[in-house]
């Protein structure tokens, strides 16, 4: 079932807000805050998961603790019209790419890359540039996170060996 056809009310929104703030919040705590029983909250969370509105639960970890000490955003420029499906295949082959999206503007895609260090980042760039349809890349290194509690500031996987 598509999340677009699912009834989604204010209680669902409050549950999701609570889980986004802290995914370890108990159903009893959420229920107490919004006026539902823990059983009712669990039923709603189960429905939100089944319908694809809630896609998972993760832990946010200090990236350097996992070996990611270098971070950058890379604009990718393609020869001709590279289909998003082909770009997705390429980025899945690089565990250092933690997010990738097609974008408007002059670039075709934007990649979020984490690496052990600058040398590792350069090696990742070289692997990306080898793809025959990639014309050029422009990189911007992250110096610091101005919103340190944002999901982008944390890591979701350890650095590859």
């Amino acid at each position: 079932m598509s999340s677009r056809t699912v009834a989604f009310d204010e209680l669902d929104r409050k549950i999701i807000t609570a889980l986004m703030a802290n995914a370890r919040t108990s159903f009893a705590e959420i229920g107490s805050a919004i006026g539902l029983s823990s059983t009712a909250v669990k039923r709603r969370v189960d429905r939100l998961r089944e319908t694809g509105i809630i896609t998972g639960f993760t832990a946010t970890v200090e990236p350097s603790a996992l070996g990611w000490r270098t971070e950058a955003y890379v604009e990718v420029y393609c020869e001709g019209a590279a289909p998003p499906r082909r770009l997705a295949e390429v980025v899945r082959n690089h565990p250092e790419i933690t997010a990738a999206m097609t974008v408007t503007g002059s670039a075709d895609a934007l990649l979020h890359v984490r690496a052990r260090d600058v040398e590792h980042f350069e090696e990742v760039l070289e692997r990306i540039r080898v793809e025959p349809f990639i014309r050029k890349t422009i990189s911007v290194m992250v110096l610091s996170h101005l919103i340190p509690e944002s999901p982008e500031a944390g890591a979701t996987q350890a650095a590859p060996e």
Side-chain angles (χ1 to χ4, degrees):
M1 183 181 288
S2 168
S3 62
R4 294 177 192 178
T5 61
V6 174
F8 186 80
D9 63 19
E10 191 57 31
L11 289 172
D12 292 332
R13 191 172 315 283
K14 289 177 179 179
I15 290 169
I16 289 171
T17 299
L19 291 172
M20 288 174 65
N22 180 358
R24 294 190 61 165
T25 305
S26 72
F27 295 150
E29 290 173 296
I30 295 170
S32 175
I34 67 171
L36 289 177
S37 70
S38 59
T39 304
V41 172
K42 182 188 182 318
R43 275 196 307 267
R44 284 175 175 262
V45 169
D46 289 345
R47 178 179 47 80
L48 293 167
R49 290 185 73 197
E50 289 169 9
T51 57
I53 293 171
I54 294 177
T55 59
F57 300 89
T58 62
T60 303
V61 179
E62 174 59 39
S64 62
L66 299 175
W68 298 117
R69 292 183 174 22
T70 300
E71 178 180 12
Y73 286 88
V74 178
E75 291 181 350
V76 176
Y77 297 81
C78 300
E79 291 291 345
R85 198 170 315 133
R86 179 66 183 115
L87 284 167
E89 289 171 14
V90 169
V91 299
R92 283 191 186 103
N93 291 328
H94 303 281
E96 300 88 353
I97 299 173
T98 61
M101 56 286 299
T102 55
V103 294
T104 61
S106 57
D108 294 294
L110 183 66
L111 312 178
H112 183 210
V113 178
R114 290 192 186 267
R116 289 184 305 273
D117 51 33
V118 174
E119 291 166 6
H120 180 208
F121 175 72
E122 185 175 25
E123 183 262 317
V124 172
L125 269 183
E126 289 171 7
R127 282 191 277 129
I128 293 167
R129 290 176 179 155
V130 158
E131 294 296 329
F133 64 88
I134 293 181
R135 181 172 45 91
K136 74 174 183 174
T137 61
I138 297 176
S139 304
V140 179
M141 301 296 285
V142 174
L143 300 177
S144 63
H145 285 269
L146 301 177
I147 305 174
E149 64 277 5
S150 71
E152 292 76 15
T156 57
Q157 62 187 13
E161 295 299 319

